[in-house]
Amino acid sequence: MISNSNSWSVCISSDVELNFLVYVARAYSICDEYFDKHGAWPNRQVSLSDQLHHELETQWQDFWNGSIQLKAEAKIQQKAALESQAPDLAVSHPMCAHLNHNHVSPFVLDQPYFEAIQHQELREALAAQWPSYIQWWNMPAGGQAAMHYWEHIPDLIRYVREFEIEAGRPIQSFHLDVELIYNGPCKPIEVTDEYVIMPIRTDYLMKPDWWNERFKERY
């Protein structure tokens, strides 16, 4: 997709299933160290026994880590396929900030009953939370609408130009997929150099500092 030294692209999107996994974690207070302590999402929290909480936390973390690695691999394959199909695309589009509202997850959770989930505790937790989550997600002022709003917030072209002025050189070629999560994690998760899971927080999305530091470190 990118073939010349002055080209770059950023794809900002949101995934209904990754947001759902975080919603479930927040509902059961799983892996709280990952998330903003001041966030309350969803409104109703579920109390569990210590043993069940530990089992569910382990199962959720394993599934979350496997899911984001699977998504990272899918993005690498997708990029390779695009480059092989249209090697001159980057030359004609040297810079862009792309918004993808219809992103399809590379893994399938088989809602609403989640039969494919191996662990019973996680499967039951997903099934219990799916109705309230998807209702919230599809509300006029719900999760999907919030994602569409925040996908437009970062002024990436300005951030890149300010970096180039400060650095005194063009930015190096790069492609970055940024996936937004509604209320967590507490800071960006750098899955790979080209794939970041980012919370909806102004100190990452709206301020150039995080972007500028990343540009300095990598580009």
Side-chain angles (χ1 to χ4, degrees):
M1 182 175 179
I2 299 175
S3 62
N4 76 331
S5 61
N6 294 326
S7 63
W8 60 272
S9 63
V10 177
C11 176
I12 301 178
S13 62
S14 53
D15 182 279
V16 61
E17 292 185 329
L18 278 189
N19 273 278
F20 174 54
L21 291 180
V22 174
Y23 182 94
V24 171
R26 304 309 302 269
Y28 291 92
S29 298
I30 295 169
C31 299
D32 284 341
E33 67 272 15
Y34 287 154
F35 306 118
D36 185 349
K37 295 180 180 179
H38 302 291
W41 178 69
N43 294 328
R44 290 183 293 178
Q45 306 296 304
V46 181
S47 297
L48 301 172
S49 66
D50 290 343
Q51 180 179 354
L52 183 55
H53 184 275
H54 176 72
E55 291 175 356
L56 186 58
E57 186 169 64
T58 300
Q59 294 170 14
W60 182 92
Q61 189 166 15
D62 288 345
F63 191 78
W64 169 262
N65 290 336
S67 297
I68 62 178
Q69 289 302 320
L70 184 61
K71 287 176 66 63
E73 293 170 6
K75 290 177 184 296
I76 291 172
Q77 295 172 3
Q78 182 183 44
K79 179 185 174 185
L82 287 172
E83 288 175 339
S84 64
Q85 293 172 8
D88 297 327
L89 183 61
V91 175
S92 60
H93 296 83
M95 62 175 63
C96 69
H98 178 60
L99 306 177
N100 181 3
H101 299 320
N102 299 310
H103 182 70
V104 178
S105 175
F107 65 97
V108 179
L109 290 179
D110 295 324
Q111 65 271 6
Y113 302 113
F114 307 95
E115 294 95 338
I117 303 299
Q118 178 182 359
H119 297 290
Q120 179 181 352
E121 293 83 3
L122 179 60
R123 183 171 64 250
E124 291 178 351
L126 296 175
Q129 294 300 319
W130 178 256
S132 59
Y133 168 79
I134 201 63
Q135 181 182 18
W136 168 81
W137 182 261
N138 290 323
M139 289 172 58
Q144 186 168 224
M147 292 297 165
H148 290 182
Y149 169 78
W150 284 100
E151 285 168 0
H152 291 86
I153 287 296
D155 190 355
L156 291 166
I157 292 177
R158 179 173 67 86
Y159 299 161
V160 170
R161 287 174 176 167
E162 289 178 351
F163 166 78
E164 291 179 330
I165 292 172
E166 180 179 334
R169 61 170 177 83
I171 199 166
Q172 298 176 13
S173 300
F174 75 92
H175 172 76
L176 180 64
D177 279 300
V178 178
E179 208 141 63
L180 301 181
I181 299 293
Y182 179 76
N183 194 10
C186 56
K187 60 182 180 179
I189 299 174
E190 305 246 356
V191 185
T192 69
D193 284 345
E194 296 189 341
Y195 175 38
V196 175
I197 296 174
M198 184 177 289
I200 292 181
R201 289 182 56 180
T202 57
D203 47 350
Y204 299 114
L205 285 171
M206 295 180 65
K207 295 179 181 178
D209 295 356
W210 182 85
W211 300 93
N212 194 43
E213 286 301 312
R214 197 177 201 282
F215 296 159
K216 288 180 180 178
E217 291 174 0
R218 292 172 171 82
Y219 317 128

